[in-house]
Amino acid sequence: MAAENIAVTRETFDNVILPVYAPAQFVPVKGKGSRVWDQQGKEYIDFSGGIAVTALGHCHPALVETLKRQGETLWHTSNVFTNEPALRLASKLIAATFGDRVFFGNSGAEANEAAFKLARYYACKKHSPFKSKIIAFHNAFHGRTLFTVSVGGQPKYSDGFGPKPADIVHVPFNDLAAVKAVIDDHTCAIVVEPIQGEGGVMPATPEFMQGLRALCDEHNALLVLDEVQSGMGRSGKLFSYEHYGIQPDILTTAKALGGGFPVSAMLTTHEIASVMAPGVHGTTYGGNPLACAIAETALDIINTPAVLAGVEARRQQFTDALTALDRELGLFSEIRGKGLLMGAVLKPEHASKARDILNAAAAEGVMILTAGSDVIRFVPSLVIAPEEIDAGMTRFAAALRKVLAA
Ligand SMILES: *Cc1c(COP(=O)(O)O)cnc(C)c1O
């Protein structure tokens, strides 16, 4: 029987998929720009962007064109052989950032795994095998491999899997004194998201980021920025470290890099890269020509003044709409984040309603996200049309009124 003849519905999920997710009750089948349609033909406005991934909307014509062209040319070579799209994408990422060397992976977790291993390896080779301490932050999110959940600051994701990688210390985010209290010459790296995404859409303060840079320099530690979610234009700059007047030693990015095609990158300096040698780290798919060709097109489009400047205007439109809604409903204590990584924080008396709001929004025809327990998160396409923001906000308002009336 041909695969397309098997009827699948949302119920099929519960019978065939490992139960690590609880997806919404509809099954999307088609997307165009910032609109999505489900199996019943119902239309949704997408403010969730596939979790900050589809930064150019669904099925952007230029990405589709590249997918088709490269799909008919060369998909995969392995890293036993290099390929043109990977070399071009790396060259463009280097030209656009602090970085001199690139490692490609397939997911945010894989880029972070490479970053943390590199930080440890560099310290071991250049300083001492005892320089292994990693300082990270409460509520941080860095991925789901055992090393990345262990560096992440959410025990609910890292407990229950047996012994964790050792020598990782967590302190409160945006608290420089807490970092000063634990950093020492055995510290190999500080790992931080410039804007905590999953942890609640919380931007680092400039003093905090600049202080981390200075502390790293003082102790010969590396500053590792996880820009898996905050990078690739999301903040209104290509990478959000540009807002802070500092440069990292290692940076990871993924999510929007491929605009929906799985690909990630770790960037670092020539000096740090120089400790690596063939065989020290690797991946089969990382840097494959299909993924890199699509990411190259995404980067070409995102890294333009028109797209980057448009982020701030769209944020303003979201903020104005959310502020007006809040005047009517009194739900939010704060709208925070940077660019199109936005969080509407529910007041304590409404904090338990985040999931109900997400479900009610879907019923009204708008896809949103939560972050942490009490934050409604919006990470739409960077090129979402103003009319789509208006239409989505009207539906979101209807959902909020229903939840409050319930
Ligand atoms: C999503 C995310 C990751 C993990 O990326 P995956 O592609 O799911 O492995 C890591 N760090 C941050 C900041 C993220 O938002």
Side-chain angles (χ1 to χ4, degrees):
M1 187 162 71
E4 59 269 26
N5 292 336
I6 299 173
V8 291
T9 65
R10 171 61 182 79
E11 282 63 51
T12 314
F13 178 93
D14 300 325
N15 299 324
V16 301
I17 303 291
L18 191 78
V20 294
Y21 301 107
Q25 289 305 315
F26 65 96
V27 179
V29 295
K30 184 177 135 109
K32 186 74 199 147
S34 286
R35 290 176 200 262
V36 167
W37 291 268
D38 72 11
Q39 286 182 315
Q40 282 68 43
K42 177 175 162 180
E43 181 209 85
Y44 301 79
I45 303 281
D46 189 0
F47 287 167
S48 69
I51 317 191
V53 167
T54 49
L56 296 172
H58 297 276
C59 301
H60 187 286
L63 297 184
V64 172
E65 211 282 305
T66 301
L67 177 71
K68 287 183 178 163
R69 180 175 40 76
Q70 191 63 39
E72 289 171 352
T73 307
L74 186 69
W75 290 23
H76 178 76
T77 57
S78 87
N79 287 297
V80 176
F81 314 94
T82 189
N83 68 80
E84 291 180 349
L87 298 174
R88 279 200 306 267
L89 176 60
S91 302
K92 288 181 179 182
L93 285 170
I94 289 167
T97 65
F98 79 99
D100 309 312
R101 293 289 184 272
V102 181
F103 173 80
F104 288 119
N106 305 285
S107 68
E110 198 185 356
N112 282 333
E113 185 81 21
F116 305 163
K117 282 180 70 181
L118 175 59
R120 285 261 176 97
Y121 200 73
Y122 179 77
C124 182
K125 291 273 155 177
K126 286 276 162 163
H127 300 287
S128 124
F130 302 106
K131 192 174 170 64
S132 58
K133 186 196 280 186
I134 292 176
I135 299 174
F137 297 95
H138 295 160
N139 292 324
F141 185 79
H142 300 300
R144 300 299 198 124
T145 65
L146 193 55
F147 198 176
T148 56
V149 279
S150 301
V151 175
Q154 305 189 50
K156 65 174 191 246
Y157 294 147
S158 57
D159 287 351
F161 299 100
K164 298 172 190 175
D167 214 9
I168 301 164
V169 182
H170 295 96
V171 294
F173 186 68
N174 271 338
D175 184 345
L176 205 55
V179 181
K180 273 189 191 142
V182 296
I183 196 166
D184 57 21
D185 290 341
H186 296 298
T187 303
C188 71
I190 298 176
V191 177
V192 65
E193 296 160 86
I195 306 159
Q196 284 193 336
E198 304 302 304
V201 189
M202 180 67 85
T205 64
E207 307 75 60
F208 182 63
M209 289 294 278
Q210 288 157 13
L212 294 182
R213 180 67 274 176
L215 284 172
C216 282
D217 293 343
E218 229 170 276
H219 293 278
N220 282 317
L222 303 183
L223 181 61
V224 179
L225 296 187
D226 179 345
E227 294 228 32
V228 167
Q229 185 157 171
S230 64
M232 289 304 293
R234 182 62 46 195
S235 73
K237 300 214 183 264
L238 186 62
F239 289 103
S240 58
Y241 74 82
E242 299 167 42
H243 291 283
Y244 292 97
I246 55 142
Q247 292 201 334
D249 300 297
I250 299 177
L251 177 147
T252 56
T253 194
K255 291 200 165 83
L257 179 60
F261 200 90
V263 56
S264 65
M266 178 195 72
L267 312 182
T268 191
T269 62
H270 171 68
E271 150 69 14
I272 296 164
S274 67
V275 299
M276 293 312 242
V280 176
H281 189 64
T283 166
T284 297
Y285 290 122
N288 79 73
L290 191 53
C292 289
I294 295 165
E296 184 192 0
T297 300
L299 177 62
D300 284 344
I301 297 171
I302 290 171
N303 194 23
T304 54
V307 171
L308 294 176
V311 167
E312 210 40 54
R314 287 168 175 81
R315 178 189 179 81
Q316 194 59 50
Q317 196 185 341
F318 270 97
T319 311
D320 291 348
L322 288 167
T323 308
L325 255 179
D326 191 49
R327 264 198 300 275
E328 176 197 331
L329 301 170
L331 263 173
F332 307 127
S333 59
E334 192 189 350
I335 311 295
R336 69 189 181 202
K338 262 199 202 322
L340 287 173
L341 174 45
M342 298 168 289
V345 186
L346 294 168
K347 284 182 177 161
E349 61 268 36
H350 299 296
S352 60
K353 299 193 177 86
R355 190 77 203 184
D356 293 342
I357 292 172
L358 186 146
N359 290 335
E364 293 298 322
V366 57
M367 296 152 82
I368 59 167
L369 299 172
T370 59
S373 59
D374 61 346
V375 179
I376 306 293
R377 177 172 37 158
F378 302 92
V379 279
S381 158
L382 306 184
V383 296
I384 185 170
E387 312 79 73
E388 289 169 326
I389 300 177
D390 279 344
M393 273 298 157
T394 302
R395 296 176 193 187
F396 181 60
L400 290 182
R401 288 185 198 106
K402 279 195 180 154
V403 170
L404 286 175

